[in-house]
Amino acid sequence: MNVELAKYTHAFEGISKYIQPYLNICKPKVVLMLVLTAWVGIMLAPESGRSIWLQLGALFGIGLVSASAAAINHILDRARDKHMVRTRHRPLVQEQLSVPQAYIFAFVIGIVGSVLLVVYSNFLCTFLTVLALFGYAVVYTVFLKRSTPQNIVIGGLAGAMPPLLGWVSETSTMSAEPWLLVMIIFTWTPPHFWALAIARKQDYERANVPMLPVTHGVYFTKLCMLVYTVLLTLVCILPYLINMSGVFYLAISCFLNARFLQKVTLLYFESKSESAMQVFRFSISYLLLLFCALFIDKLLF
């Protein structure tokens, strides 16, 4: 019995070891966050009578296309990843996967995700999702990231699209309301990512990536973070002002933004990379809680 159990355990470990590199190049935590925001977009959209299975199919399609974009990002960034402490353990850097294997995997899941979107949502949602893939995997990774310190600002629009994609998957139309959700993520992205860039400034210098702290200094970057955080606070009020959400969301939003502004202000007067990482980690929880508040407000109030 123990021999059989050991055999199955060994087989499972072998399969897990084979699959893990493919999962890692998908950036699963990032994709889960994108799918969550797309789900909130679905929940906030006008009632369309679509079944839960159609909604799940659309979300799965968005998730697969997002994972494909992440895999392409890993492929194209593999040379720079070797020079950064944060990324030097990625599967392609460690040669756990070959470039052809990664390309085939990215292509397959991208096609499967697109087909799911055609079947379970609509052509507009499919087009916008593929456009977001192109924006992140090609426009941002190939051009913006290497050419301008405003890379994360301009390229952030692709990563801010999921709430709109969720909304469009339900309604088949473009509306003003989901663009407010896009604007929330768009204005959140610079202080979120620049906090990491401050903490990992030497990494980006070694990799020759023109992030804002490298090109304009840490002090100027912290000032820009402060400006964007104030702007984010104002943008977060808009869903309440247009009756897209209620008092519950407004209260949670005000609390979260006050905390975010407090942390960024403290960082502005400090020079420790640990403080920057605290802002970065909080910003992840911030976005998760903010979109949960949008959902709960819609569901209960």
Side-chain angles (χ1 to χ4, degrees), residues 127-148:
F127 171 75
L128 291 173
T129 306
V130 173
L131 187 65
L133 178 152
F134 181 80
Y136 176 72
V138 179
V139 177
Y140 167 70
T141 303
V142 176
F143 298 106
L144 294 175
K145 190 172 183 178
R146 293 158 168 76
S147 60
T148 172

Side-chain angles (χ1 to χ4, degrees), residues 35-284:
V35 171
L36 170 68
T37 59
W39 178 53
V40 173
I42 288 176
M43 294 297 102
L44 294 181
E47 180 62 41
S48 62
R50 281 165 49 84
S51 71
I52 184 66
W53 300 111
L54 290 175
Q55 293 172 342
L56 289 175
L59 286 174
F60 195 48
I62 292 170
L64 285 177
V65 175
S66 301
S68 176
I72 295 171
N73 174 264
H74 270 251
I75 296 166
L76 298 176
D77 266 353
R78 65 190 185 279
R80 281 182 170 79
D81 287 345
K82 293 179 182 178
H83 303 289
M84 301 178 67
V85 174
R86 185 174 66 90
T87 57
R88 66 187 180 189
H89 298 295
R90 286 178 169 177
L92 286 165
V93 178
Q94 295 294 312
E95 298 183 350
Q96 297 169 352
L97 290 176
S98 67
V99 172
Q101 284 176 318
Y103 266 125
I104 291 170
F105 176 70
F107 177 77
V108 169
I109 62 174
I111 292 297
V112 171
S114 299
V115 171
L116 286 174
L117 286 170
V118 171
V119 173
Y120 289 101
S121 61
N122 51 71
F123 285 105
L124 179 58
C125 180
T126 305
F127 171 75
L128 291 173
T129 306
V130 173
L131 187 65
L133 178 152
F134 181 80
Y136 176 72
V138 179
V139 177
Y140 167 70
T141 303
V142 176
F143 298 106
L144 294 175
K145 190 172 183 178
R146 293 158 168 76
S147 60
T148 172
Q150 291 299 311
N151 46 24
I152 201 64
V153 178
I154 305 169
L157 183 60
M161 292 291 282
L164 176 66
L165 302 179
W167 184 289
V168 171
S169 74
E170 285 290 287
T171 64
S172 303
T173 60
M174 301 280 276
S175 304
E177 293 93 332
W179 282 106
L180 291 183
L181 305 181
V182 171
M183 284 302 299
I184 288 174
I185 302 177
F186 180 76
T187 51
W188 164 86
T189 300
H192 160 72
F193 209 92
W194 282 335
L196 178 65
I198 289 173
R200 297 289 183 260
K201 180 173 178 284
Q202 292 181 343
D203 268 0
Y204 288 109
E205 288 174 339
R206 282 194 298 269
N208 198 29
V209 178
M211 295 301 294
L212 195 63
V214 176
T215 60
H216 289 70
V218 171
Y219 178 79
F220 180 76
T221 304
K222 292 191 290 187
L223 178 62
C224 291
M225 288 176 62
L226 197 56
V227 171
Y228 268 97
T229 306
V230 172
L231 181 61
L232 174 63
T233 302
L234 298 175
V235 171
C236 284
I237 299 173
L238 295 178
Y240 173 76
L241 294 180
I242 67 166
N243 294 321
M244 187 179 178
S245 61
V247 176
F248 176 81
Y249 161 76
L250 181 65
I252 298 298
S253 172
C254 289
F255 172 77
L256 290 172
N257 280 294
R259 288 287 291 160
F260 202 177
L261 190 58
Q262 177 193 32
K263 288 182 177 294
V264 173
T265 302
L266 289 174
L267 175 63
Y268 180 78
F269 292 105
E270 294 179 1
S271 302
K272 300 177 182 178
S273 60
E274 293 84 358
S275 300
M277 283 305 297
Q278 288 176 9
V279 173
F280 174 73
R281 295 189 187 99
F282 174 79
S283 68
I284 298 172

